């Protein structure tokens, strides 16, 4: 007898093909049998029955869930997550489990906490406080330095499975600090060695953050050399490219060229065309992707279903002003001459940190602060604060950066609905939340991305069919990651599964109340263990750190 029977489910299996009715059993953490019209079988779905109707092959299980009226899908895969610390601080991870997410890809945007040494970890903690917080040593054990040790730490118990990308910026810090120049030969060799070791430790690829310090200092040649290492290990390159504004198309073209020259598969993270200069230009971006695909370049992309973006306030600074790390940046902000040069870049020329676009303070909204005494600014636009204080937006910008020690997070209201819809329709599209979990009012995408696709863009607008939406969340990202028997509803696959009501599923997180759980997600299994039952997290921590092995398949260590 099976451990679990999911009775009369409507199966959408992650391939994009039509749904069907079936009974599904789970035994020892894996999908065991699928019985649809005409019988049951192992190693495949039994029978050839129609998409509707009641299954005739009756299965049994020690525990039965009545799934009549519910969709059974593979667990959703978040291709762009920033839960690197929150998973360790809050391993129950309600923001993702309540969305049906069973796997997250960490180490994004070229910045995370492994590999590191004592010096770089201290700097990374400060630089990433706006993304992840910075728990004190007496409250949190920072007991890793290598990627293998970090993955071991995740394996001590989390609600979801995880994969990790080697963060290029962290590797560059270890090899050459925050220097704004190409690496020397020995420095490049050091980066390649660190990268190779991290991939050997189990990372699935490399991320780059080319508008963040120090990743923004890397030239194309450096990235080609590193991506060549990634390609030899069977990984992929996931870039936060140099511009999503004035230089967006040129930035995407550079990423394609890096893949062409290195042979490394490319996954374009949070693929967008933002700011006024790119309104209505998604077609040009997608034409570039299609041309590269036609040339045989292996490309996928992800996006989130919202218009505003989210980052740190310090990210708007020009790259030259952040050379040397946080302390050097704060010193420049205290220097009148340096501030004037920054002002001119931000207000007149267009800072590369703001994607080459002159900053419009009416689009910048404060979402979180590190310094609690500044909490009154949360939810306010910089332009509003400037008007109230009789100052310029740039003066408010400088004051907040200094008072909050670069820890302020923001929303950027720079997206375009027609671009968002066009990109999600593309056949290599996958889903990534890019969700930050700290701050008083973080972006609601951290809690709402996946149900928003299912409700708003599938059920309400019909931009995607339900089968298309689920394929983007499951089977397609599983292929990109090289997951071993995950991402589909198939016998023998790991039982990472979600049951939801297609008529009621929806996101409830808003910009005013961003930490609101989705509705309509009924049950979530991670490795066959219930992580969500009747819409409530169980607290069970069955997630594993999945690591790429020598055979290039991604699976748990044991």
């Amino acid at each position: 007898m099976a451990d679990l029977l999911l009775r009369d489910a409507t199966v959408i299996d992650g391939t994009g093909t039509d749904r069907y009715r079936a009974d599904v059993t789970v035994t020892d953490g894996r999908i065991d049998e699928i019985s649809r019209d005409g019988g049951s079988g192992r190693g495949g779905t039994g029978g050839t029955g129609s998409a509707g109707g009641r299954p005739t092959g009756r299965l049994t299980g020690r525990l039965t869930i009545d799934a009549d009226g519910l969709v059974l899908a593979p667990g959703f895969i978040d291709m762009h997550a920033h839960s690197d610390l929150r998973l360790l601080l809050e391993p129950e991870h309600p923001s993702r489990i309540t969305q049906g997410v069973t796997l997250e890809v960490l180490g994004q945007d070229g910045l995370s906490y492994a590999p590191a040494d004592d010096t770089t970890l201290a700097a990374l903690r400060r630089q990433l406080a706006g993304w992840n917080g910075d728990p004190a040593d007496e409250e949190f054990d920072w007991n890793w330095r290598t990627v293998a040790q970090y993955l071991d730490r995740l394996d001590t118990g989390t609600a979801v499975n995880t994969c990790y990308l080697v963060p290029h910026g962290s590797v560059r810090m270890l090899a050459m600090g925050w220097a704004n120049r190409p690496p020397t030969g020995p420095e490049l060799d050091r980066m390649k060695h660190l990268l190779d070791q991290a991939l050997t430790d189990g990372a699935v690829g490399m991320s780059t953050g080319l508008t963040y310090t120090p990743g923004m200092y890397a030239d194309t040649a450096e990235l080609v050399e590193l991506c060549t290492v990634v390609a030899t290990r069977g990984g992929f390159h996931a870039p936060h490219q140099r511009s999503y504004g004035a230089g967006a198309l040129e930035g995407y073209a550079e990423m394609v060229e890096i893949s062409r020259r290195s042979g490394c598969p490319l996954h374009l993270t949070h693929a967008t065309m933002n700011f006024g200069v790119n309104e209505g230009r998604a077609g040009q971006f997608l034409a570039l992707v299609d041309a590269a695909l036609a040339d045989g370049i292996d490309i996928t992309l992800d996006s989130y279903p919202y218009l505003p973006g989210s980052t740190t306030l310090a990210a708007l600074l020009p790259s030259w002003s952040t050379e040397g790390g946080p302390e050097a940046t704060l010193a420049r902000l205290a220097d009148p001459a340096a501030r004037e040069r920054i002002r001119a870049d931000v207000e007149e020329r267009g800072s590369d940190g703001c994607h080459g676009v002159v900053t419009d303070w009416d689009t910048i909204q404060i979402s979180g602060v590190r310094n609690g005494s500044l909490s009154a600014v949360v939810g306010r636009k910089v332009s509003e604060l400037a008007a109230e204080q009789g100052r310029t937006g740039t003066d408010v910008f400088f004051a907040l950066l200094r008072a909050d020690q670069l820890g302020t997070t923001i929303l950027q209201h720079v997206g375009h609905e027609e671009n968002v819809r066009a990109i999600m329709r593309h056949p290599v599209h996958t889903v990534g939340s890019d969700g930050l979990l700290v701050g008083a009012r973080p972006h609601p995408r951290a809690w709402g991305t996946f149900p928003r696709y299912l409700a708003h863009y599938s059920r309400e607008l019909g931009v995607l069919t339900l089968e298309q939406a689920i394929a983007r969340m499951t089977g397609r990202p599983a292929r990109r990651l090289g997951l071993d028997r995950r991402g589909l509803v198939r016998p023998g696959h790991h039982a990472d599964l979600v049951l939801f009501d297609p008529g009621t599923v929806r996101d409830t997180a808003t910009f005013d109340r961003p930490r609101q759980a989705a509705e309509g997600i009924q049950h979530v299994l991670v490795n066959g263990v219930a992580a969500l039952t009747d819409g409530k997290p169980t607290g069970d921590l069955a997630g594993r750190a999945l690591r790429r092995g020598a055979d290039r398949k991604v699976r748990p260590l044991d």
Side-chain angles (χ1 to χ4, degrees):
M1 183 179 291
D3 297 333
L4 174 65
L5 168 63
L6 306 173
R7 173 79 75 188
D8 290 344
T10 298
V11 177
I12 299 182
D13 65 5
T15 64
T17 56
D18 289 344
R19 66 194 75 183
Y20 60 88
R21 287 281 295 274
D23 293 349
V24 178
T25 59
V26 173
T27 303
D28 294 331
R30 292 180 185 265
I31 300 168
D32 185 29
E33 294 188 74
I34 301 175
S35 173
R36 52 194 293 184
D37 295 343
S40 66
R42 295 178 184 270
T45 56
T48 57
S50 64
R54 183 180 179 83
T56 58
R58 296 284 87 182
L59 303 177
T60 59
R62 293 181 178 87
L63 175 65
T64 297
I65 294 176
D66 181 5
D68 188 24
L70 301 179
V71 166
L72 174 66
F76 304 146
I77 297 172
D78 190 339
M79 286 295 288
H80 191 97
H82 288 285
S83 306
D84 306 51
L85 283 189
R86 303 315 300 176
L87 266 171
L88 301 177
L89 291 162
E90 191 180 30
E92 297 83 3
H93 213 36
S95 68
R96 298 305 193 278
I97 283 298
T98 56
Q99 293 186 67
V101 171
T102 60
L103 188 153
E104 290 186 300
V105 185
L106 310 175
Q108 300 287 351
D109 294 335
L111 291 167
S112 191
Y113 305 94
D117 58 19
D118 291 352
T119 300
T120 57
L121 184 60
L124 284 162
R125 287 173 58 178
R126 186 165 189 176
Q127 184 170 357
L128 297 177
W131 287 1
N132 298 311
D134 183 20
D137 291 344
E138 58 269 22
E139 300 171 354
F140 183 77
D141 188 2
W142 298 85
N143 65 345
W144 70 84
R145 294 298 180 270
T146 68
V147 169
Q149 291 168 347
Y150 175 69
L151 296 177
D152 287 345
R153 179 68 176 273
L154 288 169
D155 259 339
T156 61
T158 58
V160 300
N161 299 311
T162 51
C163 290
Y164 190 73
L165 295 165
V166 187
H168 162 256
S170 305
V171 167
R172 203 175 203 270
M173 285 184 200
L174 281 169
M176 55 186 294
W178 287 264
N180 184 2
R181 58 171 174 78
T184 64
E187 288 168 343
L188 182 58
D189 288 343
R190 172 71 170 151
M191 279 194 275
K192 291 165 77 171
H193 171 75
L194 290 165
L195 174 59
D196 186 70
Q197 183 59 57
L199 292 164
T200 301
D201 286 347
V204 297
M206 179 182 74
S207 74
T208 50
L210 304 179
T211 66
Y212 299 118
T213 305
M216 61 171 58
Y217 304 140
D219 61 17
T220 302
E222 174 184 326
L223 298 176
V224 169
E225 288 286 328
L226 296 176
C227 283
T228 300
V229 174
V230 177
T232 64
R233 290 287 187 175
F236 62 94
H237 176 210
H240 170 117
Q241 57 118 339
R242 298 190 196 276
S243 174
Y244 296 90
L249 290 176
E250 293 80 2
Y252 285 123
E254 181 194 13
M255 299 304 104
V256 169
E257 181 62 19
I258 289 166
S259 286
R260 191 188 310 276
R261 290 164 56 182
S262 67
C264 186
L266 175 63
H267 180 77
L268 296 169
T269 61
H270 44 55
T272 57
M273 293 287 287
N274 285 339
F275 302 91
V277 295
N278 287 319
E279 186 171 4
R281 298 184 71 193
Q284 296 177 52
F285 161 56
L286 297 175
L288 185 155
V289 171
D290 287 338
L293 288 167
D295 284 346
I297 297 175
D298 183 359
I299 302 179
T300 50
L301 56 88
D302 69 58
S303 71
Y304 49 82
Y306 298 87
L307 301 187
S310 179
T311 187
T312 61
L313 189 64
L316 306 183
L317 288 165
S319 58
W320 65 265
S321 69
T322 58
E323 183 178 1
E327 290 299 333
T329 303
L330 288 167
R332 292 186 184 98
L333 290 169
D335 177 67
R339 280 203 312 275
E340 172 55 25
R341 184 180 169 193
I342 294 169
R343 183 207 62 76
D345 280 343
V346 168
E347 290 185 354
E348 298 170 12
R349 291 185 284 267
S351 164
D352 52 0
C354 195
H355 307 276
V357 175
V358 171
T359 303
D360 177 358
W361 297 116
D362 197 45
T363 67
I364 308 300
Q365 184 179 14
I366 308 302
S367 60
V369 292
R370 187 180 184 187
N371 181 346
S373 68
L374 300 172
S375 60
V377 305
V378 173
R380 308 295 304 283
K381 291 184 177 181
V382 172
S383 59
E384 296 171 350
L385 296 170
E388 289 177 4
Q389 298 170 18
R391 308 162 78 185
T392 69
T394 307
D395 286 338
V396 172
F397 172 58
F398 289 147
L400 283 174
L401 289 173
R402 296 178 67 185
D404 208 21
Q405 295 288 287
L406 310 180
T408 308
T409 52
I410 61 170
L411 303 177
Q412 281 186 284
H413 296 270
V414 292
H416 305 287
E417 180 67 22
E418 67 274 23
N419 287 349
V420 169
R421 295 190 194 187
I423 290 169
M424 73 173 64
R425 289 190 183 103
H426 197 274
V428 300
H429 174 261
T430 67
V431 176
S433 71
D434 198 11
L436 303 180
L437 294 170
V438 300
R441 291 169 66 176
H443 198 302
R445 64 194 184 192
W447 287 75
T449 287
F450 290 83
R452 184 168 174 81
Y453 269 108
L454 299 174
H456 186 60
Y457 285 100
S458 179
R459 185 178 67 234
E460 296 172 4
L461 297 180
V463 176
L464 301 171
T465 67
L466 199 55
E467 285 85 351
Q468 290 170 336
I470 288 173
R472 285 156 166 76
M473 300 175 180
T474 60
R476 191 174 296 167
R479 288 195 301 274
R480 165 53 77 214
L481 293 168
L483 300 184
D484 181 31
R485 289 171 292 178
R486 294 181 194 269
L488 300 175
V489 180
R490 287 282 187 274
H493 274 52
H494 296 272
D496 298 336
L497 299 169
V498 57
L499 276 164
F500 66 91
D501 185 335
T504 64
V505 64
R506 70 181 185 98
D507 56 306
T508 68
T510 66
F511 287 98
D512 290 332
R513 300 182 65 199
R515 291 184 174 91
Q516 304 299 311
E519 294 180 354
I521 308 286
Q522 297 298 319
H523 302 277
V524 177
L525 302 180
V526 178
N527 295 312
V529 176
L532 189 84
T533 298
D534 295 325
K536 303 296 183 183
T538 66
D540 285 328
L541 305 178
R544 300 295 307 277
L546 308 184
R547 313 179 197 215
R548 188 180 299 279
D551 62 358
R552 300 192 174 191
K553 292 185 177 180
V554 178
R555 56 171 69 93
L557 187 61
D558 56 355

